[in-house]
Structures are given as C-alpha cells and as structure tokens.
Amino acid sequence: MRLTALAAVSAIALAPTAAFAWGQTAHAVIDRAAIEAIPADGPVFLRKYEDYVAASATQPDAWRGDSENFSKIEEDPNHGWFREQFTFVKPIPRSRYEFVIALYKQYEKIKDSDPATAARTNVRWTGTLPYAAIEAYDRIVVCMRQVRAAQTAGTDASVAEQNCAFDVFRMGHYIGDGANPMHDSVNSDGWRGANPHGYTTDRTVHGRFESKFVDGIGLTVADIAPRIPAPGHIEGDMFDAVLAYLDHSGDKMEAVYKLEKRDGFAKFTDKDVREMVYERTSAGAAMLRDMLCRAWAESASPPAKVVPSPIDFANPKFNPETGSAPD
C-alpha cells in the first residue's frame, strides 16, 4: 500500500530552505535512482514507496531546527564526517558512544593548551554520519525480516514495509550527504585555515554547489541511472564499507573547490562541474542501493544469538564506559 499523498506533500513542505545538505532535487534523485536500481532478487517492495521516500528525502534536515533543540542536538552531527577533526581517533570505534567518549577525552586533554582546537573537538564539529547510517541500516534489516515473515505467512506486510520506507529515506539522506565531498571535511562551508591556493571562504559555496547548481542543470534519475554499476558490497563488513565510502568522497573535496574557483558554479553548462555532480550522486545512489540489497539478504537469516549479551558484564568486549559491547 502506498503511503498517502498528503504525507508526501507534508514532507516537502516541512523541508527547510537552508542549505544543510544536497537540496531536495539531488536527495530525491539519489533515492529514486537507488530504488529503481534494485534487482529482481532484492527488496523490490520498496518500489511501491518510491514517491514517499523521494518526497521525504530532506526530512532529516527538518529535524535540525533551532526551535526543536533536543532534536537538533541529536540530529546535527548525523549529517557530517569532518575527518580532519579526529585524526587522533584510530581505529574508528564501532560504537557511537565510544566515539563520543574518545572526543571528550581529547577535549579534556587539550582544552587548556589548545582551546581553539578543543572548541571543535566534539560531535557537532566532527560529525557522526557513519553511525547514523549504520544504525538506520540495522533497523532496516529488522523491518525487512518482518516483511519476509508477513510474506511467508501470507499476511498483510504493509505496516512492516512502511516501517522500512521510513528508515530508507533516513538512511538515504545520510548516504546522500556522504556522497557530497563537502560533508566529509571541515571545509564544508568555505575553506578553513591555511589557504595557499586562495579557495573561497564564502559560506554560500556549499549551497551554490549542491542546490543552486543541481537545480540549475535540472538533475534527473536519467542523468545518473546509466552510471550505477551492478550491485556491490555483497560481502564484507558494512560499517567498514561506509567508512571507506566516506573517505573516497572526502578525498574529492579539494577538487570541488578548484571547480568553484573557476566560475563560482555560476555556469550551468560547465561540463566538469556537471561531471562532479553526476559522479557523486550516482555514487550515492549505488551505495544506497547496495546497502538496501545487502540488508535484504541479511534479513533472510534469523538474528544471530549473541552470548553473552552485549550488555552482559561477562561479554569480553563489554565497555564499562558505555555499558555495552560494540559490534
């Protein structure tokens, strides 16, 4: 059953106008392209919810309003992964809370000797994007098991499907954000620090690239669908795959600034900027499609029995600082 048109319209109406992320156009195109690229043996039921997912593509940005500060504090970090800020954290913890604690310990260590760096040594200025993505991924695996169970029993699967669709647009937003190199660097809103090449420090650079230019070229699914390869990430650790995906995207950050320096993203016919948009949005759609297909494959198996439980003090990975064992 398709979610109501009213819900879709509401999602668009609630989307903020500030340039928090890829605008509605790019996020919706990434989500649609990912769902349309699902193969026949994947979670094809999601095609029924394509319109809902696409219309809700920027809804996570609406959870970041100053007037809803509880939501804002939790949600803001989920949209970035500013790698230069936490080079001291190695390896990246497999727990959001272990990451937060590592940041705080570093803050305590440097707050007196380097207060300027310490001021940005926290989750707001480091980001938690891979954790938000993998947490949504886990929830999708769970709801997909429920879809399978309903299908097997011959009962109505629509509620489980709708639960999945909600987390699909949420995960899709984070993966879409990660495809934009500017979400993977401290230079997200203008160049920071030493600037020998004279890159722009104008904060509007973010929106001029991912919203104004994307809207100016009229990005569509047809522009990127041929670029999406066959499903990948069939094996291997999914959290590690997300980290690698973000690193690959972040490595392209300076290239975005070089393109901006040429004409400020003002020329919509610029083939090089177009190529950057096409390559990055197709990469986001491919990663999202891969995660959905992998979640569907994982959902075919019952949940693994973890003994001792992650919250059991006897678990060898148990961390008393977080009260749980990481994955």
Side-chain angles (χ1 to χ4, degrees), residues 84 181-182 185-206 208 250-258 260:
E84 302 93 332
M182 301 183 83
S185 170
V186 294
N187 302 306
S188 59
D189 298 294
W191 196 267
R192 293 179 55 81
N195 191 4
H197 301 293
Y199 297 133
T200 184
T201 58
D202 182 359
R203 289 181 59 84
T204 69
V205 62
H206 196 127
R208 285 189 282 116
D251 288 344
K252 297 176 181 290
M253 177 273 299
E254 189 170 359
V256 175
Y257 275 88
K258 288 179 179 178
E260 191 281 337

Side-chain angles (χ1 to χ4, degrees), residues 4-313:
T4 66
L6 177 60
V9 171
S10 296
I12 296 173
L14 289 171
T17 56
F20 286 129
W22 289 115
Q24 175 65 24
T25 299
H27 270 299
V29 165
I30 289 170
D31 289 355
R32 285 188 182 278
I35 292 172
E36 291 178 16
I38 292 172
D41 61 350
V44 292
F45 72 87
L46 289 172
R47 292 176 186 161
K48 293 185 289 183
Y49 302 93
E50 181 180 331
D51 289 345
Y52 165 71
V53 170
S56 305
T58 52
Q59 185 68 4
D61 281 333
W63 303 333
R64 304 171 65 188
D66 291 351
S67 59
E68 292 77 43
N69 202 35
F70 284 101
S71 176
K72 180 180 179 64
I73 289 172
E74 187 271 339
E75 187 63 29
D76 261 350
N78 291 339
H79 300 249
W81 190 236
F82 307 141
R83 299 180 300 165
E84 302 93 332
Q85 294 288 102
F86 51 87
T87 56
F88 57 88
V89 182
K90 296 180 180 179
I92 298 299
R94 297 179 64 83
S95 158
R96 176 190 287 264
Y97 296 108
E98 288 189 5
F99 180 68
V100 172
I101 289 170
L103 296 177
Y104 184 69
K105 287 180 177 179
Q106 180 70 2
Y107 166 82
E108 286 284 289
K109 180 179 178 180
I110 67 173
K111 65 180 181 180
D112 295 325
S113 61
D114 189 357
T117 299
R120 287 177 175 264
T121 305
N122 53 62
V123 291
R124 178 57 188 88
W125 298 109
T126 61
T128 54
L129 195 157
Y131 299 105
I134 202 67
E135 289 157 4
Y137 175 84
D138 277 358
R139 290 191 289 269
I140 289 170
V141 172
V142 171
C143 71
M144 283 184 174
R145 284 198 194 106
Q146 296 167 346
V147 170
R148 285 183 180 274
Q151 291 176 343
T152 299
T155 57
D156 183 9
S158 63
V159 171
E161 290 176 351
Q162 290 172 37
N163 290 339
C164 283
F166 177 87
D167 275 310
V168 167
F169 83 64
R170 190 169 188 178
M171 184 173 76
H173 188 94
Y174 305 136
I175 292 301
D177 276 355
N180 181 347
M182 301 183 83
H183 279 264
D184 306 310
S185 170
V186 294
N187 302 306
S188 59
D189 298 294
W191 196 267
R192 293 179 55 81
N195 191 4
H197 301 293
Y199 297 133
T200 184
T201 58
D202 182 359
R203 289 181 59 84
T204 69
V205 62
H206 196 127
R208 285 189 282 116
F209 171 62
E210 66 180 11
S211 295
K212 186 176 181 180
F213 190 88
V214 168
D215 289 343
I217 66 174
L219 183 71
T220 67
V221 172
D223 292 323
I224 67 172
R227 296 168 173 260
I228 299 174
H233 300 102
I234 297 170
E235 297 180 345
D237 183 83
M238 187 50 70
F239 184 63
D240 287 346
V242 171
L243 292 176
Y245 164 77
L246 296 176
D247 282 343
H248 180 70
S249 181
D251 288 344
K252 297 176 181 290
M253 177 273 299
E254 189 170 359
V256 175
Y257 275 88
K258 288 179 179 178
L259 291 173
E260 191 281 337
K261 190 174 180 181
R262 192 160 62 194
D263 60 21
F265 304 133
K267 189 183 297 182
F268 298 142
T269 56
D270 189 316
K271 62 181 179 59
D272 295 324
V273 185
R274 279 177 173 260
E275 177 58 27
M276 177 66 77
V277 169
Y278 294 153
E279 188 275 329
R280 287 291 78 217
T281 52
S282 61
M287 186 64 181
L288 177 56
R289 184 276 317 275
D290 287 356
M291 293 180 76
L292 295 175
C293 290
R294 177 69 177 274
W296 181 247
E298 286 192 29
S299 73
S301 301
K305 183 69 174 176
V306 180
V307 180
S309 161
I311 60 173
D312 189 329
F313 284 36

